[in-house]
Amino acid sequence: MVRILSALISIVVLTACNGASDLDKPAVPLGDFNLYHNIVVAPKVQKLPISREVSKDVLTTAIKDAIAERFDRYDGTRNYHFGVSVEGYVLAPPGIPLVLAPKSIMILNLTVWDDAAGKKLTDEPHQITVFESLDQGPIVGSGYTKTAEEQLKNLSQNAAKSIENYLVKQNKAEGWFERTADAIIKRAEVASTPAVTEN
């Protein structure tokens, strides 16, 4: 029971936050980061039968725009690339108020490339699942209060925020975007290492 409650609380926390709510604030530090290529595809995207439908072009454009909206704020000198594959989505239709209020959901896979190093930072694609924000219609369901395009925009902004959260975590743990600092430290270590002379 505790495990189930914890899962439900986690979902509530995820859905309570609006991914665009902090865009008017300074960007969270991400080292020497600059997003160069922002590629979003949906070759095998799955849609549940209950979902409203949008075209692949509309889907990928909405996500690409939300990623640009968030990450174009970074102006580091080192280029990185995102490869995003949309795996599935549900855009909630009208439900039965207070009984069935479907929530919109999106699942995507993220790959991050370091341009200068010429390699992927993600050994395997990192999967992200996002829900719509509570302000999209927590009681009657957003299917009654929002168009499919509005639901998609909210999901896309939440996805972009989740990507940023993941990158911040990885940068803190792995130093993904601290390459300039790494180079300075390495040069200092080399300079302080005694020279080896041959006899």
Side-chain angles (χ1 to χ4, degrees), residues 50-128:
I50 66 168
S51 176
R52 290 169 161 176
E53 188 166 359
V54 294
S55 69
K56 287 185 179 180
D57 284 345
V58 169
L59 179 65
T60 55
T61 297
I63 298 169
K64 185 172 182 177
D65 288 349
I67 289 173
E69 177 183 43
R70 177 162 295 278
F71 288 97
D72 283 355
R73 301 181 301 162
Y74 292 94
D75 58 356
T77 62
R78 191 175 177 104
N79 293 330
Y80 297 86
H81 312 312
F82 289 170
V84 175
S85 173
V86 189
E87 302 298 304
Y89 72 91
V90 175
L91 298 180
I96 303 172
L98 304 180
V99 178
L100 177 61
K103 303 297 290 183
S104 299
I105 304 169
M106 180 184 293
I107 301 172
L108 52 83
N109 287 335
L110 169 71
T111 301
V112 183
W113 288 82
D114 182 331
D115 183 75
K119 66 176 184 178
K120 290 188 292 185
L121 295 176
T122 44
D123 293 331
E124 298 291 336
H126 174 69
Q127 188 164 96
I128 293 173

Side-chain angles (χ1 to χ4, degrees), residues 134-151:
L134 286 179
D135 62 1
Q136 300 300 292
I139 297 177
V140 299
S142 64
Y144 280 104
T145 60
K146 304 291 181 181
T147 65
E149 289 73 18
E150 289 171 328
Q151 290 173 320

